[in-house]
Amino acid sequence: MLTFLLDKNVVRRAIGGLRRISSPTPEEATVLEFLFRAQAINAQLFISQETVNLLKRYASRREAQFLLSLTKVLLAAPYFKRWARRVREEGFSREDAKVLGLATFGTPETGELLGVETIVTLDRPLTRHYTSTLPVLQRKLAAMAMDLPAPFCYASLPNLKTPYEVLSAIERLIADEC
């Protein structure tokens, strides 16, 4: 099953698209289409608790309820803080380190999985920095994970993709099944 962590910018574009459902911007339309396609293939969509708080504060009740119905909250699991601190050492902002930490050492309330496969983001600087530091992050995670108990020793780094990239991959998946 595909698992995605939606960053705040993706959620903001979804809210904007829902507010202007008859004439969303191209970026908002792509985000909404990604959400609907992901739901159609039963992908699991996650958001952080901070994003839930933003939804409740800034979105209308209808928009917030809709997005909350599509997503689950990803909670910090053990070793989240340790990993986020190590990510920060590589020059990531506190917020970006939390997102990367959650995608690696986050779990839904039920605890049935650890981390997600992909962070869906519109943050180009985050993506560039992540790509350039990926080998260092992989080494750091491998060094940290080898001393951890199961299932934490199996933690892996997520992919970072735009909604457009994920949407294209989902459409290829659907086409292959037909």
Side-chain angles (χ1 to χ4, degrees):
M1 178 175 292
L2 297 175
T3 56
F4 301 105
L5 176 61
L6 311 179
D7 81 353
K8 284 189 320 189
N9 293 318
V10 170
V11 172
R12 282 186 184 128
R13 293 309 181 287
I15 290 169
L18 291 168
R19 285 183 179 156
R20 291 181 290 278
I21 199 71
S22 61
S23 61
T25 67
E27 197 169 61
E28 292 168 347
T30 299
V31 168
L32 291 176
E33 188 173 351
F34 153 69
L35 291 174
F36 294 130
R37 293 289 181 138
Q39 185 182 26
I41 63 165
N42 293 320
Q44 288 189 320
L45 301 172
F46 294 98
I47 55 176
S48 67
Q49 184 61 53
E50 290 84 1
T51 303
V52 170
N53 296 341
L54 286 171
L55 275 174
K56 290 179 178 178
R57 184 176 302 143
Y58 297 110
S60 74
R61 180 175 160 83
R62 188 180 60 191
E63 294 154 357
Q65 290 302 320
F66 176 73
L67 289 171
L68 290 171
S69 73
L70 293 180
T71 59
K72 295 180 186 175
V73 179
L74 202 60
L75 304 170
Y79 309 107
F80 159 80
K81 285 184 181 180
R82 183 189 302 180
W83 179 239
R85 196 171 42 250
R86 290 181 180 173
V87 170
R88 287 245 324 135
E89 291 170 359
E90 297 310 313
F92 288 90
S93 70
R94 182 177 311 281
E95 184 177 332
D96 290 346
K98 282 183 173 181
V99 170
L100 291 168
L102 201 55
T104 307
F105 286 101
T107 186
E109 193 173 314
T110 57
E112 79 264 15
L113 65 93
L114 179 66
V116 296
E117 293 175 63
T118 304
I119 297 172
V120 183
T121 184
L122 294 164
D123 189 337
R124 289 182 181 94
L126 168 62
T127 302
R128 278 193 299 273
H129 189 57
Y130 183 76
T131 301
S132 70
T133 59
L134 189 57
V136 173
L137 293 174
Q138 288 170 326
R139 283 193 300 276
K140 281 188 165 197
L141 182 59
M144 181 178 146
M146 66 189 243
D147 294 328
L148 301 179
F152 307 104
C153 60
Y154 303 117
S156 62
L157 293 173
N159 299 304
L160 266 72
K161 300 210 180 282
T162 66
Y164 180 78
E165 291 170 322
V166 178
L167 182 58
S168 296
I170 290 172
E171 288 174 351
R172 283 193 303 275
L173 253 175
I174 292 170
D176 289 346
E177 289 179 0
C178 293

